[in-house]
Amino acid sequence: MAEFLELEAQDGVRMAWNVVPGTKQEAGNCVVPVSAIYTPIKPFPNMPLLPYAPLRCRNCRSVLNPFSIVDFAAKIWICPFCFQRNHFPPHYASISDENLPAELFPQYTTIEYQSPGEGSSLPPVFMFVLDTSIIEEEMTFLKSALSQAIGLLPENSLVGLITFGTLVHVHELGFGTMPKTYVFKGSKDVSKDQLLEQMSFFLNKPRPATGVIAGARDGLSSESISRFLLPASECEFALNSVLEELSKDPWPVPVEQRATRCTSTALSIAASLLGACVPGSGARIMAFIGGPSTEGPGAIVSKNLSEPIRSHKDLDKDSAPHYHKAVKFYEALAKQLVHQGHVLDLFACALDQVGVAELKVAVERTGGLVVLAESFGHSVFKDSLKHVFQSGDKDLGLSSNGIFEINCSKDIKVQGILGPCASLEKKGPLCSDTIVGQGSTSAWKMCGLDQSTSLCLIFEIVKKDIPDATVQSTGNQFYFQFLTYYQHSSGEMRLRVTTLSRRWVAGPGSVQDLIPGFDQEAAAVVMARLVSFKMEIEAEFDPIRWLDKALIHICSRFGDYQKESPSSFSLSPRFSIFPQFIFHLRRSQFVQVFNNSPDETAYFRMILNRENVTNSVVMIQPSLISYSFQSAPEPALLDVASIAADKILLLDSYFTIVIFHGSTIAQWRKAGYHNQPEHQAFAQLLQAPRDDADAIIKERFPVPRLVICDQHGSQARFLLAKLNPSATYNSDSHSGGDIIFTDDVSFEVFLDHLQRLAVQ
Ligand SMILES: [Zn+2]
C-alpha cells in the first residue's frame, strides 16, 4: 500500500495494476481493467517549473522524459514510445551524464513547463445565474451568500448577472446609476444571433458575418462587452444594489401549480452571452437553482403539481416524459460550452429535485463544480460557496482551458476516460474500438479543472500471444505519458507532463508477478466508476450480478485454495480487503440508487467521478472512529457490533458526517454532566469527535453535511445504513448494542458465498 501512495505523491497517479498483464487474454482474465486514476494538476511543492518549451519526439510528439535513452556523445535521444532517434537542438549542446536537464532527472517523472510570453492576461470571468422563483426566505439567504462571495472575488475578475423565473433578465451592470435589464421569454430558447440582435450589440457598427463562433469575439467592441461583464472591483456596488433590489419572481403561482422556472433558457442565454463576449477565455457560469425547472426545453416536470417529479422507477420504466428532451438540450449546451471553453457550476439548493440528473452532462463535460443542499441557508451551500472563492492553503486552485492528451506504448490502447472532461475527437492508432466514457480520442478538453480533479483512464492491452523468448526477458516495460495544458490560476499557460513506466508480465507464472502490483483501493474506485457508468448507459444492466461475477472471478484467479475446499481459501494481503470494498460498493449510494432521488444519485456520481482514490474509498466504504473513556480514539469496524452505549462513533461517509452518541452517553449529555466541573473528562469526550468532524469539514469540497444523533433516535439511520448488518432482527447474536432491520446479507455471509463460488 505504502509504495502506491509514494507513487501517487510523485506523479498524482494510482493504477489498479502496477505490474501490467501483458497480453489481451491475460488482461481479460484480470477482470479489473488496466486503468489509472490521475490527478492532472495535483500540487507538488518540489516539482520543477521549467521556463522553456518542451522537447518533443519528431515522430510521435511525446515529450522528452527520464525514460528516454540518451546518447550523450552523439547528442541523440531515443523516444521510449516509438523508438524514434531524435537529435538534441543546439541549446542542449552542453548536456552530459553529469549535466542533465531537469526533464531527464530520474525523479522528475512529473514536471511542468511554462513557456515565456505565452501567458494570457485574460481575467477570470464569473457569470452568476440566479433563480428567483423561490420563497422570500430563500431569496434572503441566497442574496446574503452571494454578496459575501462577491466580496471575495479576485479584483481583476469580470462579473455578469442573469436572473430568471418566469422570464430571463440579463442585467446591464455597466450602466452606473441607471440599472437596465434585457428581458427574454422563458418558454423559448434564444439563439445566439437573436440574443446579440436583441441586446443591440451592433447598434453603432455593421453586423459582422454570421457563422463566426469562437475566437473572433464576433467583432464585439470592448465597450459592448463591458456593459455586461465588469471588473469585480468596479461593479461591487452596482452588483450589490441590483441584488438588494432583487425580489422573488413577481408572477403569481396558482394553487396546485409549481412556480414557472425557465432554468434552461437562462443557462442558454448565459452561455451565448459568454460565447459572444469572451470565447476561449476561462469563464464560469455559476447557476444557483432553487427548484425544479418547469418551463423551456430543459423542463423536468410540468407546472401541474399533480404530476410528480421523475423517480428512479420512472427512469427505469422509461416513463419520465420530459427526461430525454431535457438531457438532449443539456447535451447541446455542454457541446456549446466545451466549444467556447466555458464551465457550468451548479449550486442546487431545494427540498425538491431541481434537475441535477438532467444537468449532469453539462456540468461534467465542462468540469464544473456541483453542490447539492436543501436550502440556500444550509451550511453545505454557504460554506461550500465560500470555499470556492477562498484563497490560501484551502484554495481549490480553480484552473481553466485545459487540454489533456496521452501517449502510450504501442501495445496499449485507450478505451476512454470516466471523469469531468469532453472528447476532442482526436482519433488515431491509440484509440480502442471499445469505448468507455469519453472515448475514441487521445485528447480531451477540460474547460474547468482544479487541484483535486481526477480522471479515470481505462486502457486496453492489444498484444496477442508472446513468443517464449520474450517471456523470459526482464526488461518488459510499458510507458504512458499524460500531457495537461492548462491556464494556471495565475493566468499563465502551463504544460504538466507525467511519464510512467510499468513492467508487464505474461505467460505461465505471471499470476504470482501480478499480485504485488495490485492496488486494491484504486481497483475498487475504478470498479465504482465503471459500475456507475454502466448503470447509466446500459439498459437492463444488473450491477450486483456484474460486481459479484467480477469478484468471484478475481478471487478464483488470485486466491490460494484447494479446489472444492472453501475452508482452504485465502487471499494475499494485496487482495484481502478487495472483497470488503465490493461488499460495501454493492450497498453504496452508487449502486442502491432506489434509496435516493435521481438528482442525488447524479450528484454522488459526479463527485465520485472527480475525486482521487483516497476520497473515493471513503465514499464506498465510510470510515468509523470510536471514542470512549477506556482508550484513545480508535478506528472501529464498520459493523453494527461497534455500537455501544458508552461510546461515541464518528462516521465519515464523505457526503455526510455522523456523530453518534451511545445511549448512556446521550443520557449523560441530556442530564448536562458535561457542564459540571467534576465531569470535565466527559466534556472532553463529547468535544473530541466534534473537533475531528470540524477538521474534515474544513478540508472538504463540497462541504459535507453534519448529523449529530443519539442511539435509537430517528437520525441514527444515517449511521445504521452504512454498517455491516452482522446482527439483524433475523439473526441470533445480539451481542452488540444494536441490531439492524434489514434483509441484506452480512459481510460474513457474503464472504462465505464468495469462498464457496471461488474454489469451484
Ligand atoms: Zn516518439
Side-chain angles (χ1 to χ4, degrees):
M1 217 32 247
E3 75 241 49
F4 302 141
L5 292 174
E6 265 168 44
L7 289 172
E8 186 179 26
Q10 184 174 329
D11 294 315
V13 73
R14 295 273 292 266
M15 295 186 75
W17 300 101
N18 291 278
V19 175
V20 182
T23 62
K24 191 178 175 66
Q25 191 192 357
E26 201 95 36
N29 284 337
C30 284
V31 184
V32 177
V34 175
S35 47
I37 306 264
Y38 179 56
T39 310
I41 58 167
K42 182 180 166 71
F44 295 118
N46 299 320
M47 179 185 60
L49 178 60
L50 306 182
Y52 48 84
L55 273 197
R56 287 175 177 276
C57 168
R58 65 190 166 97
N59 179 44
C60 76
R61 306 291 298 150
S62 69
V63 170
L64 178 64
N65 60 77
F67 304 107
S68 311
I69 298 162
V70 178
D71 180 339
F72 291 104
K75 301 281 184 268
I76 277 173
W77 62 279
I78 300 171
C79 168
F81 294 95
C82 70
F83 309 111
Q84 171 74 38
R85 295 160 65 84
N86 295 281
H87 287 277
F88 280 103
H91 59 279
Y92 278 78
S94 64
I95 63 164
S96 68
D97 48 2
E98 262 120 59
N99 183 22
L100 287 176
E103 62 265 42
L104 287 177
F105 277 43
Q107 71 271 35
Y108 292 154
T109 43
T110 291
I111 203 161
E112 228 165 65
Y113 295 88
Q114 166 203 5
S115 306
E118 220 190 279
S120 123
S121 56
L122 292 173
V125 180
F126 297 96
M127 175 64 81
F128 293 108
V129 178
L130 268 53
D131 181 353
T132 58
S133 285
I134 50 181
I135 58 170
E136 284 296 351
E137 192 189 18
E138 284 295 303
M139 202 70 212
T140 313
F141 288 141
L142 178 55
K143 287 201 266 188
S144 122
L146 274 177
S147 64
Q148 248 189 352
I150 288 161
L152 294 170
L153 286 174
E155 289 243 316
N156 69 331
S157 55
L158 298 178
V159 186
L161 179 67
I162 290 174
T163 56
F164 71 95
T166 306
L167 304 169
V168 181
H169 295 256
V170 180
H171 296 260
E172 195 170 324
L173 299 170
F175 228 86
T177 49
M178 254 285 285
K180 200 171 158 187
T181 67
Y182 292 81
V183 182
F184 296 86
K185 251 173 88 173
S187 53
K188 216 171 123 245
D189 197 22
V190 187
S191 78
K192 194 163 127 192
D193 284 342
Q194 289 164 336
L195 178 84
L196 294 176
E197 199 70 59
Q198 194 166 340
M199 293 173 54
S200 46
F201 268 130
F202 305 108
L203 212 54
N204 301 321
K205 50 193 302 223
R207 200 172 189 293
T210 50
V212 187
I213 302 180
R217 296 212 159 207
D218 285 6
L220 294 186
S221 64
S222 53
E223 300 96 81
S224 295
I225 294 170
S226 64
R227 283 159 53 199
F228 303 99
L229 294 174
L230 245 68
S233 53
E234 285 170 39
C235 75
E236 196 173 336
F237 179 75
L239 203 53
N240 273 319
S241 42
V242 173
L243 280 182
E244 240 165 70
E245 294 294 311
L246 201 63
S247 55
K248 70 181 279 283
D249 195 56
W251 299 80
V253 181
V255 230
E256 292 173 13
Q257 289 231 338
R258 295 187 174 91
T260 306
R261 185 180 277 109
C262 61
T263 315
S264 54
T265 313
L267 292 175
S268 168
I269 287 175
S272 293
L273 188 56
L274 288 179
C277 293
V278 287
S281 85
R284 313 185 79 95
I285 297 172
M286 292 195 149
F288 299 86
I289 299 175
S293 174
T294 54
E295 181 108 304
I300 65 160
V301 69
S302 76
K303 278 175 234 173
N304 198 337
L305 269 174
S306 64
E307 180 192 328
I309 300 181
R310 80 277 175 285
S311 66
H312 274 296
K313 279 219 165 63
D314 299 327
L315 294 179
D316 241 27
K317 288 185 299 190
D318 204 11
S319 62
H322 312 274
Y323 183 73
H324 294 294
K325 186 179 169 210
V327 169
K328 213 171 147 203
F329 170 83
Y330 285 116
E331 274 171 353
L333 185 72
K335 223 170 175 176
Q336 181 187 351
L337 288 170
V338 167
H339 186 67
Q340 295 171 183
H342 298 153
V343 182
L344 174 61
D345 296 323
L346 176 59
F347 297 87
C349 298
L351 289 168
D352 241 341
Q353 299 187 70
V354 311
V356 179
E358 287 82 352
L359 274 152
K360 177 174 184 277
V361 56
V363 175
E364 206 158 52
R365 297 275 159 82
T366 63
L369 305 170
V370 59
V371 175
L372 182 70
E374 55 202 45
S375 154
F376 287 114
H378 199 287
S379 66
V380 168
F381 166 70
K382 287 192 301 184
D383 296 342
S384 296
L385 184 64
K386 248 185 275 172
H387 202 147
V388 173
F389 296 107
Q390 209 167 37
S391 48
D393 59 339
K394 301 281 188 299
D395 194 333
L396 293 179
L398 292 184
S399 300
S400 52
N401 270 322
I403 289 179
F404 179 72
E405 289 187 350
I406 67 173
N407 292 308
C408 305
S409 295
K410 72 169 174 33
D411 290 317
I412 304 171
K413 289 187 191 295
V414 187
Q415 296 189 337
I417 294 183
L418 296 170
C421 63
S423 162
L424 280 173
E425 291 171 27
K426 185 180 169 190
K427 294 189 177 61
L430 209 64
C431 307
S432 164
D433 294 333
T434 312
I435 297 171
V436 177
Q438 295 292 291
S440 214
T441 182
S442 61
W444 294 262
K445 178 86 188 169
M446 299 181 80
C447 299
L449 68 169
D450 58 65
Q451 290 174 1
S452 61
T453 306
S454 301
L455 303 172
C456 173
L457 295 97
I458 310 284
F459 299 105
E460 180 183 337
I461 307 300
V462 289
K463 196 201 295 268
K464 297 271 163 50
D465 287 331
I466 307 204
D468 285 349
T470 35
V471 176
Q472 312 305 328
S473 146
T474 50
N476 298 332
Q477 296 287 323
F478 279 148
Y479 297 98
F480 305 83
Q481 189 167 69
F482 305 150
L483 304 165
T484 313
Y485 308 84
Y486 69 103
Q487 189 171 6
H488 188 259
S489 47
S490 68
E492 63 196 26
M493 290 306 292
R494 300 259 184 105
L495 168 62
R496 167 92 57 116
V497 181
T498 293
T499 315
L500 307 169
S501 160
R502 294 287 187 273
R503 184 167 68 94
W504 62 260
V505 295
S510 63
V511 165
Q512 290 313 310
D513 289 330
L514 289 168
I515 289 174
F518 185 65
D519 181 344
Q520 46 195 338
E521 289 189 349
V525 174
V526 169
M527 293 302 268
R529 285 203 196 189
L530 264 177
V531 78
S532 301
F533 170 71
K534 284 174 174 290
M535 286 175 77
E536 281 175 0
I537 67 144
E538 287 179 23
E540 311 289 313
F541 176 72
D542 182 343
I544 299 286
R545 214 179 116 81
W546 185 79
L547 286 170
D548 286 354
K549 261 180 76 176
L551 181 61
I552 293 164
H553 201 120
I554 286 223
C555 287
S556 60
R557 184 158 181 80
F558 295 98
D560 253 335
Y561 55 88
Q562 285 144 10
K563 222 163 164 46
E564 307 296 340
S565 163
S567 62
S568 70
F569 183 87
S570 73
L571 278 170
S572 123
R574 281 302 156 95
F575 282 82
S576 58
I577 339 172
F578 192 68
Q580 198 175 314
F581 285 144
I582 298 297
F583 172 75
H584 287 290
L585 178 58
R586 288 161 100 255
R587 310 180 77 223
S588 72
Q589 62 271 35
F590 305 119
V591 174
Q592 300 299 331
V593 294
F594 288 97
N595 300 333
N596 295 108
S597 70
D599 270 16
E600 287 169 313
T601 303
Y603 176 64
F604 297 142
R605 288 182 174 159
M606 275 193 272
I607 307 285
L608 172 74
N609 277 348
R610 52 160 283 139
E611 277 303 328
N612 64 16
V613 170
T614 306
N615 285 338
S616 305
V617 164
V618 177
M619 297 177 208
I620 297 167
Q621 177 178 312
S623 76
L624 192 66
I625 298 172
S626 165
Y627 301 77
S628 71
F629 283 120
Q630 287 81 42
S631 69
E634 54 185 3
L637 276 180
L638 197 59
D639 191 299
V640 65
S642 295
I643 294 177
D646 59 350
K647 281 183 179 163
I648 305 175
L649 295 174
L650 174 66
L651 176 90
D652 180 3
S653 66
Y654 200 82
F655 302 100
T656 306
I657 291 175
V658 184
I659 297 176
F660 175 96
H661 298 125
S663 53
T664 310
I665 301 272
Q667 266 170 24
W668 291 347
R669 193 200 64 231
K670 282 175 195 153
Y673 287 176
H674 54 293
N675 297 323
Q676 297 169 8
E678 67 270 32
H679 291 303
Q680 260 201 18
F682 180 58
Q684 283 164 9
L685 183 67
L686 273 187
Q687 190 57 37
R690 294 295 292 263
D691 292 345
D692 291 347
D694 282 347
I696 298 171
I697 290 169
K698 272 208 191 79
E699 288 292 324
R700 193 164 290 169
F701 181 89
V703 169
R705 162 182 187 177
L706 177 65
V707 175
I708 300 176
C709 61
D710 295 337
Q711 189 174 5
H712 310 307
S714 70
Q715 302 263 74
R717 67 180 190 278
F718 284 100
L719 172 72
L720 295 177
K722 297 290 180 187
L723 299 182
N724 172 35
S726 66
T728 66
Y729 66 96
N730 55 17
S731 66
D732 326 317
S733 60
H734 294 168
S735 56
D738 229 317
I739 58 166
I740 293 180
F741 289 91
T742 177
D743 291 320
D744 291 0
V745 296
S746 69
F747 181 59
E748 294 67 29
V749 175
F750 177 76
L751 206 57
D752 228 49
H753 284 292
L754 175 62
Q755 293 179 350
R756 269 195 296 114
L757 292 165
V759 299
Q760 278 175 9

